[in-house]
Amino acid sequence: MNGGGMPRAEAEPVFEPAAVDEVFDQLPDGVFEDALAESPVERRTGADRVDALVAGWCRWYTRDLSEPVATARRAEIASDLYEQRAFAAETGERGVSRSIVGRLVRGIPADLTWRYAQVRRLALTAPRGTFPLAMPALAHLATALLLAWGVLVVWRTAAGMAAGDWAGAWDLVAAGVFGLAMAVLGAVLTTVTRFRWLGALWLAAASYVLIRFGMYTLIASSTTLGAFYISAIEQAILVNRVMSAAGVLFFVAMAAWWLPTSGGLWARRRRSDPTADVAPAGVLSDEQEVSA
């Protein structure tokens, strides 16, 4: 207390950069790098990447199964991941992410076997004439053959141009490249459940381009095929047109077979459109009345 009865104000601390520098100089080298490498944030980021990898694999092999089965499987995998990480946190176990990746790799055959069993069960209970196993297998086989044909066309074109033997038009070169690109895009889209029908349409267009013009590309790059084409031109043109039409019709049919129902498309549009009309309270839609 001072003479006036007021408490004496304590002196405010003064920031001295030199003193701070002395403290940092006394710390061992690399202490901050080691602390950052061992930080929980970094471990959580790595764990998130591993968990996302497992979840992505699970989504892939359950992509075209029924919604209840796929949801139950994904929930089972998520629960398994949570339990393993919680147990590791309680016991102080290290290397959990490596263990999870190892389980993922070792469990791939079991996951594929489980998927085949589910698809098989779906096929046994499917209505007559729907072919839930044969039709997709046939579509994937046709896609693989189309891709192989496109690669052959582009490779023969490139080889002929490199050797100086190319006698065809540049339109054939462009048709081969764009046809193969469309086939690759269609093949990728067919691996996604909701875009399979769109991928089949891309494959239909690619099959016309690659088969219709691919044959002429091979004729222009091969003396033997060119001689055969000249000797049997009518038969060659007929085979070309029939195969082109067959490829287009097959993939268009697969697009129709994979196309979601109108109710599914409408439900998807309503979920993605926030301005869609909402039924007033107490009013049931037609589907709700039927289910009720």
Side-chain angles (χ1 to χ4, degrees), residues 2-292:
N2 57 12
M6 297 295 292
R8 185 184 302 274
E10 298 181 358
E12 296 183 357
V14 179
F15 178 73
E16 298 181 359
V20 177
D21 293 338
E22 293 179 0
V23 174
F24 276 96
D25 292 339
Q26 295 175 2
L27 294 176
D29 296 336
V31 63
F32 292 105
E33 290 78 359
D34 295 340
L36 181 61
E38 298 177 358
S39 65
V41 175
E42 183 68 19
R43 290 200 300 271
R44 283 198 300 270
T45 303
D48 290 341
R49 288 196 294 266
V50 172
D51 293 349
L53 175 64
V54 176
W57 165 249
C58 184
R59 284 194 302 271
W60 185 84
Y61 72 80
T62 60
R63 64 192 183 281
D64 51 358
L65 300 178
S66 62
E67 189 65 25
V69 174
T71 302
R73 182 69 172 185
R74 294 166 189 171
E76 177 185 356
I77 297 300
S79 176
D80 189 23
L81 286 175
Y82 174 80
E83 291 177 358
Q84 182 171 357
R85 292 202 177 277
F87 178 78
E90 293 178 359
T91 60
E93 178 185 355
R94 293 189 176 184
V96 183
S97 296
R98 290 193 298 270
S99 175
I100 292 175
V101 173
R103 290 181 58 195
L104 170 65
V105 175
R106 294 190 301 270
I108 287 177
D111 293 335
L112 296 179
T113 302
W114 176 87
R115 169 183 166 79
Y116 176 78
Q118 299 300 320
V119 176
R120 177 76 175 172
R121 182 179 305 171
L122 175 64
L124 294 176
T125 58
R128 183 182 297 273
T130 55
F131 308 110
L133 282 179
M135 289 296 289
L138 185 60
H140 294 319
L141 176 60
T143 301
L145 292 176
L146 182 63
L147 289 173
W149 173 259
V151 171
L152 175 63
V153 169
V154 173
W155 176 75
R156 289 300 300 267
T157 303
M161 295 177 65
D165 300 333
W166 175 252
W170 285 101
D171 294 344
L172 297 179
V173 179
V177 173
F178 284 107
L180 181 59
M182 288 191 294
V184 171
L185 177 59
V188 172
L189 289 176
T190 55
T191 62
V192 183
T193 302
R194 58 178 178 174
F195 295 136
R196 287 184 302 185
W197 64 274
L198 184 59
L201 293 179
W202 276 99
L203 289 171
S207 64
Y208 178 81
V209 174
L210 288 177
I211 298 175
R212 186 81 169 89
F213 301 103
M215 189 185 80
Y216 298 117
T217 300
L218 295 181
I219 291 172
S221 61
S222 174
T223 305
T224 304
L225 290 178
F228 172 77
Y229 177 76
I230 294 175
S231 62
I233 186 170
E234 295 182 357
Q235 292 82 354
I237 293 176
L238 178 62
V239 170
N240 185 311
R241 292 178 178 177
V242 170
M243 293 183 63
S244 301
V248 172
L249 290 177
F250 174 78
F251 285 112
V252 168
M254 289 307 305
W257 194 76
W258 274 329
L259 186 67
T261 60
S262 59
L265 291 175
W266 173 250
R268 187 180 299 114
R269 190 191 73 82
R270 288 183 63 87
R271 287 195 298 269
S272 60
D273 185 6
T275 63
D277 296 334
V278 179
V283 179
L284 296 178
S285 62
D286 296 339
E287 296 180 356
Q288 291 172 328
E289 290 179 357
V290 171
S291 62

